[in-house]
Amino acid sequence: MTIPLHYREQGQGRPLVVLHGLFGTLDNWQTLARRWAEQFRVILVDLRNHGRSPHSEEHSYTLMAQDVLALFEQLQLPADTTLLGHSMGGKVAMRFALDNPERVRQIVVVDIAPRFSDMEHQDEVIEGLNALDFKSIENRQQADDALAQHIRQVDTRQFLLKNLYRREDNSFAWRINLPVLTAAVAALGEEIKADQPFLKPALFIRGGKSDYVTAEDKLHGIPALFPNSQVETVVDAGHWVHAEKPEEVYQLVTAFVNS
């Protein structure tokens, strides 16, 4: 069953739909969206179980792609729409394009490949998020201190804490559907497969310091499903390419959408 996704829209012109990654929200792309909105109609989306979109007991790439299709239909998006996704959102974009090639002009995938990926690197994040005791937390600093016992990287904690909000009774809670995402996280490493490749243009942007897209992916995995693709490497960027090197991502995406 599809879910009505929360989204934010700005600008005019050819549509550019943007999907965040695991534990992210549409806010992660707000800075770049403001710039793209000067020439495109930018639609930032919260995927199911994230941000301000509804929660569901189910979480899979097929379902997320169906949610995005329902949003395309709701907004009556034309066939010249570009779909962009980062990480988990990148796999949603791939699944969407392979299932609905007629609905998009092209796709942009940021730092993820279609192959299976072991999700064990998320173990400490999942552990830290679940260990937070909201009964004893009165402010964001205390939440950060508690997370730091599990997650050393400051930038990762800051990213995760964007999911923290105050309820009406003034207590803290996560916006993400943590129990469902905890249960689903292993399955989110699944390989994206299809009987037919996506023949339209696809731009893959990888971080030079990230191992999410390998030389093998570039040579075989990506072209097998996306034969009309190009892979661009942003030097000195890790997995959060758009946060670390926004100017480079802005230029690559802008040129691609306008090509």
Side-chain angles (χ1 to χ4, degrees), residues 202-224:
L203 169 65
F204 284 74
I205 300 173
R206 63 181 289 270
K209 295 193 292 188
S210 168
D211 58 4
Y212 278 70
V213 179
T214 65
E216 177 68 16
D217 295 324
K218 200 172 167 180
L219 274 175
H220 302 292
I222 291 170

Side-chain angles (χ1 to χ4, degrees), residues 151-197:
I151 302 162
R152 288 193 303 277
Q153 301 88 346
V154 177
D155 54 349
T156 304
R157 294 202 307 273
Q158 289 175 338
F159 165 76
L160 294 168
L161 287 168
K162 288 180 179 171
N163 290 295
L164 201 63
Y165 79 106
R166 277 195 192 275
R167 296 192 291 207
E168 287 182 10
D169 64 2
N170 221 31
S171 66
F172 280 105
W174 293 121
R175 282 204 190 280
I176 48 172
N177 187 349
L178 187 57
V180 166
L181 293 177
T182 299
V185 73
L188 291 177
E190 76 175 40
E191 180 183 357
I192 300 296
K193 301 176 181 176
D195 295 331
Q196 298 292 327

Side-chain angles (χ1 to χ4, degrees), residues 111 206-213 233-241 244-245:
D111 212 55
R206 63 181 289 270
K209 295 193 292 188
S210 168
D211 58 4
Y212 278 70
V213 179
T233 301
V234 177
V235 182
D236 288 336
H239 183 53
W240 282 292
V241 194
E244 295 172 42
K245 297 284 182 179

Side-chain angles (χ1 to χ4, degrees), residues 9 19 35 40 48 59 69 72 113 126 130 145 153 161 187 205 216 218 247-248 253-254 258:
E9 191 173 343
L19 311 176
R35 293 186 66 190
F40 311 125
R48 65 166 57 202
H59 196 85
L69 178 60
F72 269 57
I126 290 281
N130 279 290
D145 293 344
Q153 301 88 346
L161 287 168
I205 300 173
E216 177 68 16
K218 200 172 167 180
E247 183 60 34
E248 286 85 339
V253 173
T254 304
N258 282 327

Side-chain angles (χ1 to χ4, degrees), residues 125-149:
V125 170
I126 290 281
E127 193 179 324
L129 293 172
N130 279 290
L132 223 61
D133 178 13
F134 288 122
K135 294 191 191 75
S136 63
I137 286 170
E138 294 173 6
N139 55 53
R140 285 180 175 272
Q141 186 57 54
Q142 289 177 354
D144 186 44
D145 293 344
L147 267 187
Q149 295 175 32

